Amino acid sequence: MGDVAKDLAAGTVGGAAQLIVGHPFDTIKVKLQSQPVPLPGQPPKYSGAMDAVRQTLAAEGPRGLYKGMGAPLATVAAFNALLFTVRGQMESLLRSKPGEPLSIGQQVVCGAGAGVAVSFLACPTELIKCRLQAQSALAGAGSAAVAVKYGGPMDVARHVLAEAGVKGLFKGLVPTFAREVPGNAVMFGVYEGLKKFLAGDKEPSELGRGSLIVAGGLAGASFWLGVYPADVVKSVIQVDDYKQPKYSGSVDAFRKILAAEGAKGLYKGFGPAMARSVPANAACFLAYEVTRSSLG
């Protein structure tokens, strides 16, 4: 089996592990990000992450935490296979000879390149996911963005295509780039750096599963530290109405969030995002490494 096929297979397994572990956290993150700004004197729909969990369970049951999972589940194989395959091919391009270890700086470049590639798949997938996850939060405020209740991922896609065409599925592409490119650059750089640190005098390939879990979890957390505001902007744009949009674009959304809520508005849902990122990415990298190693 060639390297591309191995990366495709291992990336698919890693992505499935990441999704199963992390999706409930992601649902809460999107609900917090997309809830409307309350009127003066009125409390927000969700007072925090735990309140969002309680309300979701009360209104929708455990299934509510996995709402919108169909879209990423359908594409998780393609997303992570593309991420790890592009990264692997860039590693090959940057090596002067086969098997030569890359510097941390080169790993950062590989991560950034992979981020560019996956943005084109992440944008439409997450638009569908976000509109499903956010509709219950927005419905209580009578938002026009959710005047129509979606029955599932394909129903969202049909409505979006009918309203805005194929272009509508790529709403939020700019902030998706702003998240994926630097986020993956940092994540893969941190992951490889931590592997080298934890390996000490040994080869990183000799690390045990516990060390891989630590490296993957911390690398996943590093993804969000600098790019979280871009994710908030992406979420509010993607759940915005097509016919009567509240935001004219990414910069407009950024300015309006700052004006209405201050800097803290750009970090709504940060807690659930970090709580998700550590176990989800630990599972992803561990599954990838174990699968890749088993394939030789």
Side-chain angles (χ1 to χ4, degrees):
M1 183 182 288
D3 287 341
V4 172
K6 291 175 184 177
D7 283 331
L8 285 169
T12 299
V13 176
Q18 181 185 56
L19 185 65
I20 292 168
V21 172
H23 193 78
F25 295 97
D26 190 64
T27 296
I28 299 304
K29 171 181 73 75
V30 172
K31 283 177 178 287
L32 289 172
Q33 288 177 338
S34 58
Q35 64 176 327
V37 178
L39 296 173
Q42 296 293 318
K45 181 174 176 64
Y46 304 116
S47 62
M50 292 309 299
D51 184 47
V53 171
R54 283 192 291 269
Q55 289 195 43
T56 300
L57 289 174
E60 306 171 66
R63 290 179 58 187
L65 295 173
Y66 283 91
K67 183 170 284 185
M69 187 171 164
L73 186 61
T75 57
V76 67
F79 181 91
N80 282 275
L82 182 62
L83 179 71
F84 283 99
T85 300
V86 171
R87 177 206 176 207
Q89 291 304 295
M90 290 196 66
E91 286 179 332
S92 298
L93 288 172
L94 292 176
R95 286 191 178 102
S96 57
K97 58 183 179 181
E100 180 184 47
L102 298 179
S103 69
I104 301 302
Q106 289 173 315
Q107 291 289 353
V108 168
V109 172
C110 292
V116 171
V118 298
S119 293
F120 291 101
L121 184 59
C123 185
T125 300
E126 294 201 8
L127 181 140
I128 291 170
K129 173 182 68 67
C130 285
R131 292 180 84 85
L132 278 172
Q133 290 173 325
Q135 64 179 345
S136 61
L138 293 169
S143 171
V146 287
V148 177
K149 281 287 186 178
Y150 302 118
M154 293 305 297
D155 192 34
V156 177
R158 281 193 293 269
H159 277 96
V160 170
L161 288 171
E163 287 187 61
V166 174
K167 182 181 177 182
L169 290 172
F170 288 89
K171 189 175 186 179
L173 182 61
V174 170
T176 301
F177 276 128
R179 184 192 70 182
E180 292 294 329
V181 177
N184 279 295
V186 170
M187 183 176 72
F188 282 111
V190 168
Y191 180 64
E192 294 299 331
L194 284 171
K195 282 172 63 179
K196 289 181 179 179
F197 174 77
L198 293 171
D201 296 331
K202 300 186 298 183
E203 289 295 319
S205 59
E206 299 176 32
L207 285 174
R209 294 185 179 184
S211 295
L212 292 175
I213 288 172
V214 171
L218 292 176
S222 73
F223 179 99
W224 290 109
L225 293 178
V227 301
Y228 194 79
D231 188 65
V232 174
V233 170
K234 179 194 73 68
S235 291
V236 298
I237 287 176
Q238 290 187 325
V239 301
D240 199 12
D241 189 46
Y242 284 97
K243 295 180 179 177
Q244 297 178 318
K246 181 179 178 181
Y247 308 107
S248 62
S250 300
V251 174
D252 184 50
F254 182 84
R255 288 173 176 165
K256 286 181 177 176
I257 292 170
L258 274 181
E261 304 173 71
K264 69 178 183 180
L266 294 169
Y267 286 89
K268 289 190 297 185
F270 184 71
M274 293 299 286
R276 167 196 176 274
S277 192
V278 174
N281 283 284
C284 178
F285 278 108
L286 177 63
Y288 171 82
E289 296 282 10
V290 171
T291 305
R292 188 70 168 78
S293 178
S294 69
L295 293 174

